[in-house]
Amino acid sequence: MAILHGEYFLELIIIFILGLTSGSPLIKVFNLEDMELKESVILNGFSGILDDGQTGSKCDIGNSSCGFHDMKKLVLCEEELKGIGSLNTTCQLNTSLQFDNDVLITGEGNLEILSHVSVGCPFAGCLISINISGDLLLAEYASLLAGTLIVRAGNLFLQNNSFLKTTALGGAPPPQTSGTPLGVDGAGGGHGGRGACCIKSDGKDPEDTWGGDAYAWSTLTKPWSHGSRGGTTSREGEFGGGGGGRVKIIARSILNVNGSISADGGDGGLKGGGGSGGSIIIRVPKLKGTGTVSARGGKGWAGGGGGRIAISSYSREESLNIFVHGGESHGCTSNAGAAGTIFDSVLQSLIVSNNNLSTLTDTILLDFPTHPLWTNVFVKSCAKAVVPLFWSRVQVRGQFSLLYGGTLSFGLSHYPFSEFELMAEELLMSDSMIKVYGALRMSVKMLLMWNSEMQIDGGGDAMVGTSLLEASNLVVLREKSSIYSNANLGVHGQGLLKLSGSGDTIKAQRLILSLFYNINVGPGSVLQAPLEDAAKGDLAPRLNCESPSCPEELIHPPEDCSVNTSLSFTLQICRVEDITVDGLIQGSVIHVHRARTVAVNAGGLITASRLGCKGGVGKGHVENAGAGGGGGHGGQGGDGYLNGVSSRGGEVYGIADLPCELGSGSGNSTSEGTTAGGGIIVMGSMEHSLSSLNIFGYVRVDGESNHQAAGNQSATNMGGSGGGSGGSLLLFLHSLTLGNNSLVSSAGGHGGHVGGGGGGGGRIHFDWSNIPTGDEYAPLANVKGTIYTRGGMGSDGGHDGKDGTVTGKECPEGLYGIFCEECPIGTYKDTNGSDISLCQPCPPEEIPHRGTYISVRGGVTQPSCPYVCLSEKYHMPYCYTPLEELMHTFGGPWLFGLLLSGLLVLLALVLSVARMKIIGTDEFSGPVPPPHESQIDHSFPFLESLNEVMESTRTEESETHVHRMYFMGPNTFGEPWHLPHSPPHRIDSIVYEDAFNRFVDEINSLAAYQWWEGSVHSILAVLAYPFAWSWQQWRRRKKVQQLRDFVRSEYDHACLRSCRSRALYEGLKSVPATMWYRFIAGLNAYLRTVHRGCLRITLLPVINWLGTHANPWLSLHGIRVDLAWFQATTSGYYQLGLIVNETNEVAQPTSLPNMGGTMTIEELSNHQTVQWQGGQQYTAWSRRRIGGGIGGGIINLYTLPSLEDRKDFSFPIYLILRNARPVGHEDLVGLIISILLLGDFSLVLLTLLQFYSISLAAFLLVLFVLPLALLSPFPAGINALFSHVPRRSAGLARVYALWNVTSLANVVTALIYGCYYYQIQSSSRGPQNLHAWNFSTYVATSL
């Protein structure tokens, strides 16, 4: 049905309502032209109820008892609406309609407005209400237009380019509102946001100038106000745009918006301001589409403010666009109208968005509800919101977000004396700003800032409370975010405070950070208090410059960590677990209280430099016409000097062991270029010290340097001001780490040009807490950086400032220095104090020479300093080797040597007895005939026969010998054996000369050695001579065997002439074989006593025996034997041999006295007549030389003195190599050998033991430089000593002798190494108090 009203038509509606309580009817008259009352009627009509808004009486429209007096006629779809169908089924409107009055359309079916069809009431305030049970469809390019649109349907579908529109058709705004601007400024209208104004009022900031004001804050959750008209620029007409209308949509299921729903303000053009947006209410379960819902401000000379939208939907697609931004301003493009509000009733969230249009006009945020609390508030996209009411609280349950250029202001810039509260779960800021005029009490769980600012203006009034920002979990500033306050600021939390990087800052005049678990000041970020660039009106902390005493709160700070303006701190970090500094922390008085660890990483800086006193207790003086003296503190300031006038530097003040005074400056209040001293940094307190301080960057409290000349009021002083003195750095801590390139500095500033004096150095003190001692000690500091308290340099004749002080807490016993380190090794300290002179040297008589002092945890506190031996091989307490311990056990080296010698003699006797028991007397086996066949049984000792020497048992070979030829040469690899080519004259007659020469060539070729045999010998001679000797002997035996095999088997004796040979053979058969064997055996026995170096002495017994025993017996058979030398070689050697001659004389055997062969040559000369009968012939014979082509001569008593005995440097070795044993003293020699053998073995074991005690390298050097040189002699000697075979015994004895020579070389090597090692140890350890016998013990054991 439809009710049509004329322009001035009045209609009375009588509603009969039965009173349920009284039972009497209640009658109420309504005038539908009253828009407020009409709203109530129409709005509640969607639920079938009419409400009078006053008494609460309601009437069900479906009840027959309720009705309008003109609703008797039903409105049909085809008649009144010109459509097709019915409103109870489906009504399709295919013709555009325009109504002149309010329209009410109801039905049970569907309503479809087809394409390009427009239905509207295009008059301000005109109402169209649609209430149908089915769906409402607006096809493409269809429109529904009115001042107020109220739609209730099952579903509502707006297709592409269709729209529900109330733009610029709003009615009158609520009474007692100022939404429409007055005057002719062309300002925008206000509603949800203020309208813009492009004309600046005198004495007002742009932010304090606006057009139409905002209204309807209290109903923003259910907005139902018309927008306001914009102002005009001319009194000739109203050129401002109209205000936006109202739209209310309620759907039971779906609202699909692909077109637009708008309640925008009208455009005002260049002559008027834009109208403000209207109101939109949407209540629908599902809100879909890609269209637009808007209550925007209109464009104009100044833009209108945005309207208000309230949406209640449980499902809303993000593709739907919702706008409430202000209109653009043509007169001031940077100042659009203020944004309106969007309220989500389901999420209980408020959104203020200006769609990235810049504005200086505010959106007013008034009282926030307290029950229930809103969940979230979003101020974004260049929206500018303000909380103007004093003592306001902004509280939400969830997030308060400022995004994309959003701004939130608290208070008024010209009245910054109020306090505000902001309470939320999270405060998120991205590219946004918060401005506070007064003080802010913020309480959130997380504060996240991204390229955002928070500016707090306290107005310079001390009465304004401190701003407190509390974030219980997290405070993070990133991308050049900053928190700035020109008053006192406290930032509290229980989690992390992180300034991420460059540009992130927290600055205030007085700043306290407390209760955080961790504070991280990233690279390039800043914590600062006070402000260096503060304005004159800012509230600056007052420094205590005139008192030389330490403020009590620096040593014993309060526990509550509150911001107290009466305290001397400018920047305090209180009750924070860990502090990490990669950026800058700067303040005049910095105090870190109740923190656990502080880490200043590389690039990080904590500084109070140049923030101390301009004057102060140690102020540098300035004389007229002179330069300023430097400020004093820990060191005296340097005097200024200019034109012969000296200005005294500041005096020293403060306490070195507990410094907490500000540094002093130089100059005076009338001087330019006045310098300031350094400030104060205190970390920890007496009650709560830092657990650890790790510095890899910088901590500085330096004085200020001046590089400008100064002048006083009379312009007579053109000298430079002095440098400021260094401040105070007081550290209460457990442990300290100063990394490489780190710096802790309290240096004085440099004096100004033209005579300024340098500032004195400041003071640094390390107050260690609970210094551990004894086994619990751990190093307090690891210092690799620099600690600097130097004075500043004077300029142009000005004096340098004196150095300041660096002190540490008094150290307990055993520790010294600033960092309470352990006293140096070898010293002890038994008193408290820090001076290194208290560490006294340990008594040197209490440490052995192989001992070395060791460090003891906590230092040595007694004179008996602990020590250890140089190696684990030495045994405590005297640091002896096992050998030396053994010697010490037996009373020292001399007594031990005596006992060892006696033991060796005893063992040697036991060994000799065992040898005699095992092998008996020194008898030699061989093919000796029975005693009854011997005719000279006792004429000479029975040793070895010729057959034994030649390893031959065939007697017929001896009987066939005619002439013996001897090899020439020493039989070495360089000069092998060889035979001369000329046959001896004795066998000229029995050999063919040419055949003999061929025989000699073959023999010489067989006797020559191969080149590789000599090479092997040379290598072994270098590495181990005994092996070389054994190699030579083996090759010699192989060569002799080859020669023997050749002569016996291969040679056919073609050189012999048979007749002559048989004759000689028959001649030699006259001597019995047994006699010949005895002769050879006796001669060999004496020849064994002959050795080089004593030929003339040792050959006397041989010559004596031949003359007295051998020749008398052999002459019975016509044979005479003489000793001769022959076959001399080019190397100086010759061979001894026998000359066998026929003789017809017979001599009687006699004996000479002293048969032992010990007679001298003179004694034998006196007994010539006894030795041989027929002495003249003997004498003549003895002077003959051997002929037959063989060089040589007879050796007898006459020629023996002229016999040459060649000696060289190897003569002593030759004696050992030949190993000749005296005949008849074998047992004595065996005893001596046993003693030497045991001594050698003992020496070997003791030497190896000693060198193993010194080092494994020394042991291996002795053992392997000459391989097995110290171990082989013992088994070789044992084998030789107990051998049954005479010849093998002699060979092994020679091997033993060779190894003895090598062992001797190794002993010398060991001695040299031992002395060298001892010298190194002595020089490296310095002088030691040695025991009297230690060095001799060392040398003895080395041997």
Side-chain angles (χ1 to χ4, degrees):
M1 96 185 85
I3 301 176
L4 305 179
H5 303 275
E7 184 176 0
Y8 302 105
F9 179 77
L10 297 176
E11 177 135 12
L12 297 177
I13 300 177
I14 302 175
I15 302 177
F16 297 93
I17 301 176
L18 296 178
L20 298 179
T21 57
S22 61
S24 58
L26 177 63
I27 301 175
K28 181 69 176 179
V29 179
F30 296 95
N31 186 348
L32 291 181
E33 291 297 322
D34 186 355
M35 296 304 300
E36 294 297 328
L37 188 57
K38 187 190 303 182
E39 292 175 14
S40 178
V41 173
I42 300 301
L43 182 62
N44 289 283
F46 285 114
S47 60
I49 299 296
L50 294 177
D51 191 351
D52 65 0
Q54 295 181 8
T55 63
S57 299
K58 299 180 180 179
C59 177
D60 190 343
I61 295 177
N63 195 331
S64 60
S65 62
C66 295
F68 297 100
H69 74 278
D70 61 345
M71 293 182 183
K72 297 177 181 179
K73 183 179 178 180
L74 296 176
V75 178
L76 299 177
C77 171
E78 296 179 351
E79 296 179 359
E80 286 81 9
L81 297 179
K82 310 300 181 182
I84 301 173
S86 172
L87 290 173
N88 291 324
T89 56
T90 300
C91 178
Q92 296 181 341
L93 303 182
N94 55 8
T95 302
S96 297
L97 298 174
Q98 182 172 335
F99 300 102
D100 296 331
N101 292 305
D102 300 341
V103 177
L104 174 62
I105 302 174
T106 64
E108 300 293 332
N110 303 321
L111 178 61
E112 297 180 359
I113 301 176
L114 301 182
S115 298
H116 300 281
V117 174
S118 176
V119 177
C121 180
F123 305 105
C126 183
L127 168 66
I128 294 180
S129 176
I130 300 175
N131 183 7
I132 59 177
S133 300
D135 298 337
L136 175 60
L137 170 66
L138 272 73
E140 294 183 354
Y141 298 100
S143 63
L144 188 60
L145 180 66
T148 299
L149 287 174
I150 301 174
V151 178
R152 184 176 189 270
N155 297 293
L156 177 59
F157 300 96
L158 276 73
Q159 295 183 354
N160 294 336
N161 299 310
S162 64
F163 53 87
L164 294 177
K165 188 174 182 180
T166 64
T167 300
L169 295 177
Q176 298 180 352
T177 61
S178 56
T180 300
L182 302 176
V184 290
D185 294 336
H191 181 198
R194 285 172 171 171
C197 181
C198 294
I199 298 177
K200 179 181 177 182
S201 300
D202 294 337
K204 293 184 178 180
D205 295 331
E207 297 178 354
D208 296 332
T209 303
W210 62 85
D213 209 346
Y215 54 90
W217 168 264
S218 61
T219 62
L220 65 83
T221 60
K222 297 178 181 180
W224 198 243
S225 298
H226 292 286
S228 299
R229 176 178 293 276
T232 182
T233 60
S234 175
R235 299 184 184 277
E236 297 178 358
E238 294 293 334
F239 297 105
R246 303 176 299 181
V247 177
K248 177 175 288 187
I249 298 175
I250 299 176
R252 290 191 301 270
S253 181
I254 297 174
L255 171 59
N256 192 339
V257 182
N258 290 314
S260 66
I261 300 173
S262 63
D264 300 337
D267 294 338
L270 297 177
K271 292 185 178 182
S276 63
S279 301
I280 298 177
I281 298 176
I282 297 176
R283 298 174 185 171
V284 61
K286 294 182 180 179
L287 181 57
K288 303 171 61 176
T290 59
T292 301
V293 178
S294 65
R296 295 173 288 202
K299 300 178 183 178
W301 178 254
R308 299 189 188 275
I309 298 176
I311 298 176
S312 177
S313 176
Y314 292 98
S315 174
R316 185 174 69 183
E317 291 184 354
E318 294 182 357
S319 58
L320 183 66
N321 299 305
I322 302 175
F323 299 113
V324 290
H325 59 81
E328 298 180 14
S329 300
H330 300 307
C332 46
T333 56
S334 61
N335 186 17
T341 62
I342 302 172
F343 188 79
D344 190 325
S345 300
V346 174
L347 299 178
Q348 291 291 297
S349 298
L350 175 65
I351 301 174
V352 181
S353 173
N354 211 34
N355 198 30
N356 294 321
L357 296 176
S358 63
T359 182
L360 300 176
T361 309
D362 299 325
T363 299
I364 305 300
L365 304 182
L366 299 177
D367 294 335
F368 278 63
T370 58
H371 184 76
L373 295 173
W374 288 346
T375 302
N376 302 312
V377 174
F378 300 92
V379 179
K380 62 181 183 179
S381 302
C382 296
K384 186 173 183 292
V386 63
V387 180
L389 301 181
F390 297 159
W391 314 102
S392 295
R393 170 184 289 184
V394 176
Q395 183 175 6
V396 296
R397 288 184 294 138
Q399 294 181 0
F400 199 110
S401 301
L402 287 86
L403 309 172
Y404 315 122
T407 301
L408 176 64
S409 299
F410 291 89
L412 304 176
S413 60
H414 55 274
Y415 192 80
F417 307 120
S418 182
E419 292 187 3
F420 302 90
E421 290 185 82
L422 174 60
M423 304 179 69
E425 286 288 310
E426 300 173 359
L427 175 57
L428 307 180
M429 301 177 64
S430 176
D431 301 300
S432 57
M433 178 182 292
I434 291 179
K435 293 183 178 180
V436 180
Y437 299 101
L440 176 65
R441 302 293 179 95
M442 184 191 76
S443 178
V444 298
K445 288 186 177 179
M446 288 195 302
L447 171 59
L448 305 178
M449 300 179 65
W450 181 286
N451 190 26
S452 300
E453 297 180 40
M454 182 181 294
Q455 297 179 358
I456 303 175
D457 183 2
D461 191 346
M463 299 301 295
V464 177
T466 299
S467 294
L468 298 177
L469 308 181
E470 181 177 352
S472 58
N473 291 343
L474 185 67
V475 177
V476 177
L477 281 68
R478 299 194 66 178
E479 297 297 325
K480 299 182 179 180
S481 297
S482 65
I483 299 175
Y484 178 94
S485 174
N486 60 4
N488 301 326
L489 175 64
V491 182
H492 307 302
Q494 299 176 5
L496 170 68
L497 169 59
K498 182 175 182 180
L499 282 69
S500 302
S502 178
D504 298 328
T505 62
I506 299 179
K507 296 182 179 181
Q509 287 290 65
R510 189 188 304 271
L511 176 63
I512 292 185
L513 310 175
S514 62
L515 304 179
F516 288 98
Y517 181 79
N518 183 279
I519 293 180
N520 191 333
V521 183
S525 56
V526 178
L527 290 177
Q528 179 181 328
L531 304 174
E532 285 187 339
D533 54 351
K536 293 183 178 180
D538 291 342
L539 183 63
R542 183 178 179 182
L543 300 179
N544 188 15
C545 292
E546 301 303 324
S547 175
S549 62
C550 181
E552 183 68 18
E553 61 269 16
L554 293 178
I555 309 301
H556 304 284
E559 297 292 328
D560 57 358
C561 298
S562 61
V563 180
N564 189 342
T565 58
S566 64
L567 302 180
S568 58
F569 310 134
T570 63
L571 193 157
Q572 184 183 37
I573 301 177
C574 180
R575 290 180 178 266
V576 176
E577 289 290 317
D578 302 315
I579 303 169
T580 304
V581 182
D582 291 283
L584 170 65
I585 297 180
Q586 178 176 320
S588 296
V589 181
I590 300 176
H591 187 258
V592 179
H593 175 46
R594 298 202 68 169
R596 187 180 66 175
T597 64
V598 176
V600 184
N601 296 329
L605 170 63
I606 300 178
T607 179
S609 298
R610 304 176 290 105
L611 297 176
C613 299
K614 293 286 185 179
V617 178
K619 179 180 67 174
H621 299 274
V622 180
E623 301 292 342
N624 291 331
H633 183 199
Q636 184 173 358
D639 294 343
Y641 184 82
L642 178 65
N643 299 327
V645 178
S646 179
S647 299
R648 184 163 47 89
E651 300 297 331
V652 175
Y653 62 95
I655 303 174
D657 291 335
L658 201 64
C660 50
E661 311 88 13
L662 291 164
S664 300
S666 175
N668 52 51
S669 58
T670 62
S671 300
E672 297 180 0
T674 301
T675 57
I680 301 174
I681 297 178
V682 179
M683 296 188 185
S685 62
M686 284 288 190
E687 294 78 12
H688 306 283
S689 60
L690 293 180
S691 176
S692 65
L693 174 59
N694 303 314
I695 301 175
F696 298 92
Y698 309 93
V699 177
R700 311 188 71 160
V701 287
D702 299 337
E704 184 178 7
S705 297
N706 184 18
H707 301 290
Q708 298 178 355
N712 58 16
Q713 293 177 344
S714 60
T716 58
N717 177 17
M718 298 304 296
S721 297
S725 64
S728 297
L729 177 59
L730 177 58
L731 304 175
F732 298 91
L733 68 166
H734 284 282
S735 64
L736 171 68
T737 299
L738 286 183
N740 294 324
N741 302 320
S742 62
L743 175 65
V744 175
S745 174
S746 179
H750 302 313
H753 293 303
V754 195
R763 297 190 186 275
I764 299 176
H765 178 72
F766 300 92
D767 197 284
W768 308 107
S769 176
N770 299 324
I771 302 174
T773 57
D775 294 337
E776 298 179 356
Y777 175 79
L780 302 178
N782 180 14
V783 179
K784 297 180 181 178
T786 304
I787 299 176
Y788 207 37
T789 58
R790 59 140 182 86
M793 292 186 295
S795 174
D796 300 328
H799 295 177
D800 294 344
K802 302 300 182 181
D803 292 342
T805 61
V806 181
T807 59
K809 187 176 181 179
E810 188 177 73
C811 300
E813 297 178 356
L815 307 176
Y816 82 101
I818 298 173
F819 307 111
C820 288
E821 303 170 272
E822 297 165 341
C823 281
I825 297 176
T827 62
Y828 72 96
K829 177 173 168 283
D830 54 3
T831 58
N832 293 334
S834 300
D835 198 329
I836 191 174
S837 62
L838 299 177
C839 296
Q840 305 177 22
C842 299
E845 64 273 4
E846 296 187 4
I847 182 173
H849 76 285
R850 286 199 191 98
T852 180
Y853 291 113
I854 60 173
S855 61
V856 177
R857 176 172 289 187
V860 182
T861 60
Q862 300 297 330
S864 55
C865 302
Y867 65 90
V868 295
C869 299
L870 295 175
S871 171
E872 295 180 357
K873 297 181 177 66
Y874 303 130
H875 298 166
M876 295 289 288
Y878 301 108
C879 295
Y880 290 156
T881 63
L883 175 59
E884 292 171 348
E885 277 195 330
L886 182 62
M887 293 182 180
H888 179 72
T889 303
F890 288 97
W894 305 115
L895 184 57
F896 175 77
L898 181 61
L899 293 176
L900 181 61
S901 300
L903 181 62
L904 292 178
V905 172
L906 181 61
L907 292 177
L909 290 174
V910 173
L911 190 61
S912 297
V913 172
R915 173 180 174 276
M916 289 186 291
K917 292 292 185 181
I918 293 174
I919 66 173
T921 58
D922 192 11
E923 296 180 354
F924 298 88
S925 61
V928 182
H932 64 274
E933 298 180 2
S934 176
Q935 300 180 9
I936 51 174
D937 293 337
H938 303 287
S939 301
F940 46 82
F942 177 75
L943 293 177
E944 287 184 296
S945 66
L946 182 62
N947 286 336
E948 291 175 309
V949 175
M950 299 302 297
E951 299 181 0
S952 175
T953 57
R954 296 183 297 175
T955 58
E956 60 271 20
E957 290 187 3
S958 298
E959 295 174 356
T960 60
H961 289 169
V962 176
H963 180 73
R964 185 179 297 273
M965 290 187 298
Y966 293 93
F967 282 107
M968 301 177 64
N971 194 17
T972 62
F973 294 104
E975 191 176 353
W977 279 340
H978 62 277
L979 293 177
H981 286 81
S982 299
H985 71 280
R986 294 185 178 276
I987 60 173
D988 285 342
S989 58
I990 63 173
V991 296
Y992 297 106
E993 185 172 356
D994 56 345
F996 179 80
N997 290 336
R998 289 193 298 273
F999 167 73
V1000 169
D1001 290 338
E1002 292 177 355
I1003 289 295
N1004 289 343
S1005 63
L1006 286 175
Y1009 293 99
Q1010 299 294 327
W1011 67 269
W1012 58 270
E1013 294 174 308
S1015 299
V1016 173
H1017 179 268
S1018 300
I1019 294 173
L1020 293 177
V1022 174
L1023 298 178
Y1025 181 76
F1027 286 137
W1029 184 86
S1030 299
W1031 169 261
Q1032 185 182 43
Q1033 294 303 107
W1034 178 53
R1035 300 313 299 169
R1036 282 178 176 177
R1037 288 195 298 271
K1038 296 292 288 185
K1039 192 62 65 179
V1040 170
Q1041 185 64 36
Q1042 291 176 3
L1043 293 172
R1044 182 181 294 128
D1045 293 341
F1046 173 77
V1047 173
R1048 291 178 178 177
S1049 303
E1050 300 181 17
Y1051 184 63
D1052 57 0
H1053 302 279
C1055 65
L1056 295 177
R1057 298 178 180 179
S1058 58
C1059 297
R1060 186 70 177 270
S1061 300
R1062 284 194 298 273
L1064 291 175
Y1065 173 74
E1066 292 295 335
L1068 290 176
K1069 288 177 62 178
S1070 60
V1071 180
T1074 302
M1075 180 64 67
W1076 186 256
Y1077 295 155
R1078 294 288 184 174
F1079 166 72
I1080 294 302
L1083 181 60
N1084 285 339
Y1086 278 97
L1087 288 178
R1088 287 194 183 96
T1089 63
V1090 178
H1091 54 84
R1092 286 187 56 187
C1094 301
L1095 286 179
R1096 283 175 287 183
I1097 296 176
T1098 56
L1099 282 178
L1100 283 176
V1102 178
I1103 297 173
N1104 177 44
W1105 181 81
L1106 286 175
T1108 58
H1109 291 77
N1111 282 327
W1113 289 98
L1114 293 175
S1115 64
L1116 298 176
H1117 302 281
I1119 295 300
R1120 174 183 172 160
V1121 178
D1122 290 298
L1123 185 66
W1125 65 271
F1126 55 91
Q1127 300 288 2
T1129 63
T1130 56
S1131 58
Y1133 293 94
Y1134 52 84
Q1135 297 188 12
L1136 297 178
L1138 298 178
I1139 299 297
V1140 182
N1141 296 291
E1142 293 182 88
T1143 182
N1144 295 323
E1145 299 179 359
V1146 178
Q1148 298 297 326
T1150 62
S1151 61
L1152 285 174
N1154 194 10
M1155 279 298 295
T1158 59
M1159 295 180 62
T1160 63
I1161 295 178
E1162 290 76 8
E1163 292 175 341
L1164 287 173
S1165 300
N1166 297 330
H1167 293 279
Q1168 292 183 44
T1169 56
V1170 187
Q1171 294 174 8
W1172 183 258
Q1173 297 178 5
Q1176 295 297 328
Q1177 296 179 358
Y1178 178 78
T1179 301
W1181 173 255
S1182 64
R1183 293 177 180 175
R1184 293 178 52 197
R1185 296 185 62 84
I1186 301 174
I1190 300 177
I1194 302 298
I1195 299 177
N1196 54 29
L1197 297 178
Y1198 299 100
T1199 60
L1200 183 60
S1202 62
L1203 186 65
E1204 295 182 1
D1205 188 6
R1206 179 179 177 181
K1207 297 181 181 180
D1208 53 23
F1209 70 92
S1210 61
F1211 171 70
I1213 300 178
Y1214 180 83
L1215 297 180
I1216 300 177
L1217 295 180
R1218 292 308 178 188
N1219 196 30
R1221 293 191 298 175
V1223 179
H1225 302 282
E1226 290 80 3
D1227 293 338
L1228 179 60
V1229 172
L1231 176 61
I1232 295 174
I1233 291 176
S1234 299
I1235 295 174
L1236 294 177
L1237 179 65
L1238 294 175
D1240 188 25
F1241 181 68
S1242 302
L1243 177 62
V1244 168
L1245 293 183
L1246 295 177
T1247 302
L1248 290 178
L1249 178 63
Q1250 179 70 1
F1251 275 87
Y1252 179 77
S1253 302
I1254 294 174
S1255 69
L1256 182 61
F1259 174 80
L1260 296 177
L1261 177 67
V1262 174
L1263 187 61
F1264 292 115
V1265 166
L1266 299 174
L1268 303 177
L1270 295 178
L1271 297 179
S1272 297
F1274 183 71
I1278 290 293
N1279 200 0
L1281 192 63
F1282 288 90
S1283 176
H1284 287 277
V1285 182
R1287 184 174 179 276
R1288 186 164 179 265
S1289 176
L1292 291 174
R1294 290 188 179 92
V1295 173
Y1296 173 64
L1298 290 174
W1299 283 114
N1300 274 333
V1301 173
T1302 307
S1303 179
L1304 179 62
N1306 277 345
V1307 167
V1308 174
T1309 302
L1311 176 61
I1312 295 173
Y1313 181 83
C1315 294
Y1316 175 72
Y1317 179 83
Y1318 176 81
Q1319 185 65 27
I1320 291 178
Q1321 294 298 324
S1322 299
S1323 61
S1324 62
R1325 294 189 63 254
Q1328 298 289 343
N1329 185 23
L1330 306 177
H1331 293 285
W1333 56 276
N1334 278 345
F1335 180 73
S1336 60
T1337 301
Y1338 191 90
V1339 176
T1341 53
S1342 298
L1343 291 174

